Amino acid sequence: MRKLQKLPYRISYKNRNREHGQALIEFALMILILFVMLVGVSIIAQGFNLQMVLYGAAYEGARIWAKNPVKGGAEYCTPPACDPNSGTASNFDKYVVPAVRKYMTDNGFDGRPEAGKLFFFAKAPAQANNALQAISRDPLQVKVTLLYSIELPFSALPDAPFDLNYKEIQVIASCTMKRGG
């Protein structure tokens, strides 16, 4: 039978030289994973922030619109909630829309009309106008629905391994209030 060799009390330095950069490589791999996690958390946090700002803008618009009189005609109009001499512009377009756009811009999102990111009730203008007409007939409550379009950052990649039909996301917020409040 063979005799078992005694294990040395000290590790030989030959084997140790082969493991010289192991800690650096492990650190590099872990820092990549942590970076991807950090980016993911920041994107989710931005989404939550947008949702809260959008709801705040819908609340602000509904609050202003709810201050209008129930019938909304020129004989019931009390400035500054509405202007009987507004001409062709509706009171919604004259008071609610600018307040909502200002709220969005003040909170770091693009609320300008020329940016084309913020929509009221629907993205298509005809559908939005129909929804506005239907909602404004309700004598008891007002409802403001906002849509904010976000273009996805990976929609411009030429060799994307996924379907490029998803080029934007629409975040929606709505607020309903009792009229006259």
Side-chain angles (χ1 to χ4, degrees), residues 2 13 25 35 37 73 79 100 109 113 125 144 146 154-155 164 174:
R2 280 175 71 172
Y13 287 104
I25 293 188
F35 180 73
M37 288 174 58
V100 169
F109 293 98
V144 175
L146 301 177
F154 49 78
S155 63
L164 287 180
S174 181

Side-chain angles (χ1 to χ4, degrees), residues 86-149:
S86 64
T88 59
S90 69
N91 290 325
F92 183 83
D93 291 334
K94 190 163 186 173
Y95 293 102
V96 177
V97 172
V100 169
R101 291 194 185 282
K102 182 176 181 332
Y103 188 94
M104 291 295 290
T105 305
D106 289 348
N107 286 290
F109 293 98
D110 202 355
R112 298 173 298 134
E114 56 270 7
K117 292 185 174 186
L118 181 63
F119 303 98
F120 293 85
F121 302 109
K123 193 169 180 179
Q127 290 176 343
N129 197 14
N130 289 342
L132 175 62
Q133 295 302 321
I135 291 170
S136 63
R137 288 188 200 114
D138 188 354
L140 299 177
Q141 64 185 9
V142 295
K143 180 179 182 180
V144 175
T145 303
L146 301 177
L147 290 82
Y148 192 84
S149 293

